Amino acid sequence: MKCSQSEVISRLIKKAIKSPCRFRIAAIGMDMRGVVIGSATNLPYLPKTNGGIHAEELLISRSPRSLKTIIIARVGVSGILRPISPCLKCRDMAQKYGIKIVSILE
């Protein structure tokens, strides 16, 4: 079932608030029809991987091949949306799989 833009924003905020990281970031993945097929938050710094795991990266690795669009959002402590854009690593990974990354606020 397709979600409206306000439903997507609401889901992103709720998901991002659950992130254990200082910068609370959430991503929602959609298929070509605009149906939500997955969501993820960023994960904290892990010494073995030499960094944290980005929400987009996690979503791409978990989601089926039908993933076509990722919507990302960063939420401040008070639950207000903050500007964000994907890093080069996530942008390149998405481009490799033909996935478009869209930010709620850039």
Side-chain angles (χ1 to χ4, degrees), residues 1-105:
M1 182 157 114
K2 278 182 122 177
C3 292
S4 69
Q5 185 175 1
S6 61
E7 290 173 327
V8 169
I9 292 171
S10 175
R11 285 179 75 166
L12 280 167
I13 291 171
K14 286 178 187 175
K15 188 75 173 177
I17 289 172
K18 294 178 183 178
S19 174
C21 299
R22 180 174 161 215
F23 296 105
R24 296 179 176 120
I25 299 168
I28 288 183
M30 297 182 165
D31 66 8
M32 66 166 67
R33 297 171 301 185
V35 176
V36 175
I37 57 173
S39 63
T41 62
N42 55 329
L43 297 176
Y45 178 79
L46 303 169
K48 288 182 181 178
T49 62
N50 232 1
I53 299 175
H54 296 186
E56 310 96 287
E57 186 180 5
L58 195 57
L59 191 58
I60 291 170
S61 68
R62 286 183 182 170
S63 296
R65 295 179 188 246
S66 59
L67 183 65
K68 295 297 176 195
T69 305
I70 296 176
I71 302 172
I72 59 173
R74 184 178 121 201
V75 178
V77 176
S78 60
I80 296 172
L81 289 171
R82 301 286 183 204
I84 187 172
S85 60
C87 70
L88 291 175
K89 179 182 171 187
C90 291
R91 193 177 317 151
D92 290 344
M93 182 186 287
Q95 189 174 24
K96 176 182 173 184
Y97 293 106
I99 300 167
K100 180 180 175 184
I101 298 179
V102 179
S103 175
I104 294 294
L105 295 175

